Amino acid sequence: MKNKRLFPALVLILVAMIMAVTGFMLWESGNTANLRQIHVIIENSNDNRWVQFIEGMKQAAEDQEVILTIVPTGHIETLSEEEAIVERAIANGSDGVIIQLCSSIGAASMLEKLNSRTNIELVDENAYEVMSNVVGVISPDHRAIGEAIAGETAVYAPKPLEKCTIGVIRGSSALSSMEQRMDGFTETLESLGGKTTWVLEYMGDAKAIRDKLAEAEKPDILVALDNAGLEAAGEYA
C-alpha cells in the first residue's frame, strides 16, 4: 500500500511546483481569470506503465483547477522531435509542460530556450549537474535503484554469483538517468562477485530487441533495468 501511494504523491508535488510558478506569472500579468493549461509529454503515452502516473496527474489537475492535456505520443527518437511537440504545446497556450526527455545529450540548451517561454519540469531524469539550474527536476535516485537491482540479483541467483552468466537489458545510453542506474548496478554486482556477460540497449523497437535476445547467449540471470526492458525480458522468457 505504501508504494502505491508514493507515486501519486510524487505526481502531486510535480504539478504543484508548476502551479506555483505559473500562478505567480499569471498573477503578475493580471491574467488570473483564465484557467491554466499544462501539457504532459511522455514517451508512448498509451503504455500501461503510465496509468498510475496519468491518474495522479488528472487528480492533481482537478484539485488545482487546471486544464491537463496528455499529448498522444509513440516512441520519441530525437530531441528535435520532442522540441517540436513542446513548441506545439506552447502554440496551443500551454502555461507549463512536464517532459520525459528522450535524451540528455544536448538537452540543456533546448530546455533553456523553451523555459524562457513556458514553465518546464522534467520527470524521470537525473541530470542535475546540467539541468537543475535550467528547469525543475523530479526524479528518483537512479544509482540507488541500480544498486538495489544488483542486490536482488545476488539474492535470487540460482548458483554462486561468480559462476552465473548475467544478461542485462537497459534503456538508452543517451539518458544520464540510465547511465547512473547502470553504473550503480555494475559496481554493486562486481562488489558481490558477479559480472555482466552481455548488455543490450533497448531503444523502443520490440522486434529489434527480440532479435538481439535470440542471438545472445542464454544467461543464467536476465536483468531488466527499467519497465520497457522488463516487458522485453518478459516476452523473451
Side-chain angles (χ1 to χ4, degrees), residues 78-93:
T78 65
L79 278 177
S80 59
E81 180 184 348
E82 196 154 35
E83 182 177 6
I85 298 172
V86 177
E87 290 283 1
R88 287 196 293 272
I90 294 173
N92 288 328

Side-chain angles (χ1 to χ4, degrees), residues 31 37 77 104 133 170 202 222 230-231:
N31 194 28
Q37 298 184 59
E77 295 187 358
S104 301
N133 292 329
R170 52 160 295 168
Y202 181 53
L222 181 59
L230 181 61
E231 291 174 4

Side-chain angles (χ1 to χ4, degrees), residues 64-231:
Q64 298 289 337
E65 297 184 349
V66 170
I67 298 172
L68 181 71
T69 300
I70 309 297
V71 180
T73 63
H75 175 56
I76 302 173
E77 295 187 358
T78 65
L79 278 177
S80 59
E81 180 184 348
E82 196 154 35
E83 182 177 6
I85 298 172
V86 177
E87 290 283 1
R88 287 196 293 272
I90 294 173
N92 288 328
S94 183
D95 297 301
V97 183
I98 295 173
I99 306 174
Q100 179 205 25
L101 288 175
C102 67
S103 173
S104 301
I105 301 171
S109 59
M110 178 194 81
L111 292 170
E112 188 170 12
K113 178 175 66 176
L114 292 171
N115 202 44
S116 66
R117 300 166 57 204
T118 191
N119 300 297
I120 301 287
E121 292 285 340
L122 302 184
V123 64
D124 195 30
E125 180 49 53
N126 201 18
Y128 294 113
E129 68 282 359
V130 176
M131 298 176 195
S132 60
N133 292 329
V134 180
V135 296
V137 180
I138 297 293
S139 176
D141 186 336
H142 289 282
R143 176 175 286 275
I145 291 173
E147 293 170 353
I149 293 173
E152 290 299 297
T153 300
V155 169
Y156 292 102
K159 54 188 174 182
L161 199 60
E162 62 272 14
K163 296 182 179 180
C164 290
T165 54
I166 301 173
V168 177
I169 304 176
R170 52 160 295 168
S172 172
S173 58
L175 288 172
S176 64
S177 55
M178 184 52 62
E179 286 296 287
Q180 292 183 27
R181 192 174 296 193
M182 186 69 199
D183 288 345
F185 174 80
T186 302
E187 291 170 13
T188 302
L189 186 70
E190 290 178 353
S191 73
L192 295 171
K195 185 178 180 182
T196 57
T197 306
W198 50 257
V199 179
L200 296 179
E201 191 170 329
Y202 181 53
M203 301 294 290
D205 187 333
K207 183 179 184 304
I209 199 68
R210 284 198 298 269
D211 291 343
K212 289 180 180 179
L213 283 168
E215 295 171 0
E217 174 189 351
K218 188 170 184 177
D220 296 313
I221 304 171
L222 181 59
V223 177
L225 294 186
D226 64 358
N227 289 334
L230 181 61
E231 291 174 4

Side-chain angles (χ1 to χ4, degrees), residues 15-64:
V15 175
M17 288 173 65
I18 285 191
M19 291 304 94
V21 176
T22 303
F24 176 76
M25 291 179 66
L26 291 172
W27 172 82
E28 198 173 43
S29 66
N31 194 28
T32 53
N34 294 333
L35 286 173
R36 294 161 290 182
Q37 298 184 59
I38 289 182
H39 285 69
V40 182
I41 300 169
I42 49 180
E43 185 176 59
N44 293 316
S45 58
N46 287 328
D47 194 284
N48 288 335
R49 71 180 184 271
W50 293 117
V51 170
Q52 192 175 12
F53 179 83
I54 292 173
E55 286 179 356
M57 295 288 288
K58 289 179 178 178
Q59 177 188 335
E62 183 177 346
D63 292 344
Q64 298 289 337

